[in-house]
Amino acid sequence: AQSVSQHNHHVILSEAASLELGCNYSYGGTVNLFWYVQYPGQHLQLLLKYFSGDPLVKGIKGFEAEFIKSKFSFNLRKPSVQWSDTAEYFCAVNPNILTGGGNKLTFGTGTQLKVEL
Amino acid sequence: EAGVAQSPRYKIIEKRQSVAFWCNPISGHATLYWYQQILGQGPKLLIQFQNNGVVDDSQLPKDRFSAERLKGVDSTLKIQPAKLEDSAVYLCASSPVRGGRGLTDTQYFGPGTRLTVL
């Protein structure tokens, strides 16, 4: 079965610092990759997604992620974080396997990001 | 565009009681999902519907959990009887594709129902 690993469970940064959150998955076939964000008191929202094409994906609020197939990774980055980026971030993978029941997301355990003023 | 609606937002019950959650997906979305998110973990898929048919319920504890999606729109997830370990947030999501072979698209999540079992 596929799995998703997020290495950092809690990250604390100061405003304007750069951010990189790691995400690795275990699946050898074609995948679709997602980052979701959950702001305090709000529901899960899509940050960005990769389906195919350019492995560098840009999302909302200045976030980007790079798909490196050889490393099974999809790390999330932002050059300069803001206090409002405080949230929990989830990486998710859809293995896109050719069986019934496609579009089944497997989530990582999440990374809680706190940005301090 | 209205998002995924869920109710109730919070529920507290005692173990062995029953509980039901309701979800209304985004209009026109054929695929509906129920996830369980235990504190400190990522969401875990319980069941996936395509229209009113079950596509995947392999991780649904069928001895106590049941779900239905009559008429292919709203869905209800029930737990009977509840156990302490069922305390979690239950998320509903919908997506605009059929979830068939090789097809995939973004899932949109509702606010969730936070269940506490005492």
Side-chain angles (χ1 to χ4, degrees), chain B residues 35-54:
Chain B
Y35 288 84
Q36 179 192 57
Q37 185 177 13
I38 293 172
L39 187 64
Q41 300 180 20
K44 183 187 81 172
L45 181 69
L46 292 175
I47 188 168
Q48 176 184 347
F49 292 94
Q50 175 180 316
N51 297 309
N52 61 346
V54 175

Side-chain angles (χ1 to χ4, degrees), chain A residues 15-102:
Chain A
E15 268 205 326
S18 64
L19 169 71
E20 181 160 3
L21 301 181
C23 173
N24 287 88
Y25 63 92
S26 64
Y27 182 70
T30 303
V31 293
N32 303 115
L33 299 152
F34 305 79
W35 276 97
Y36 281 86
V37 60
Q38 188 166 26
Y39 298 103
Q42 297 187 28
H43 59 278
L44 275 169
Q45 302 170 40
L46 181 71
L47 203 54
L48 49 78
K49 61 185 178 183
Y50 171 79
F51 282 5
S52 63
D54 189 344
L56 184 61
V57 179
K58 295 193 183 297
I60 60 172
K61 303 185 180 184
F63 286 90
E64 65 178 29
E66 185 175 13
F67 171 48
I68 303 179
K69 188 175 181 179
S70 61
K71 295 185 178 181
F72 299 91
S73 70
F74 190 55
N75 292 354
L76 181 71
R77 300 194 292 250
K78 186 172 184 179
S80 176
V81 294
Q82 299 174 310
W83 178 80
S84 58
D85 293 324
T86 294
E88 190 159 18
Y89 294 80
F90 292 92
C91 180
V93 174
N94 177 334
N96 205 11
I97 56 178
L98 296 180
T99 61

Side-chain angles (χ1 to χ4, degrees), chain A residues 34 36 46 94 103-105 107, chain B residues 33 35 45 93-96 105-109:
Chain A
F34 305 79
Y36 281 86
L46 181 71
N94 177 334
N103 210 14
K104 177 179 176 178
L105 281 177
F107 282 85
Chain B
Y33 314 79
Y35 288 84
L45 181 69
S94 68
S95 70
D105 208 323
T106 304
Q107 295 182 26
Y108 296 88
F109 286 81

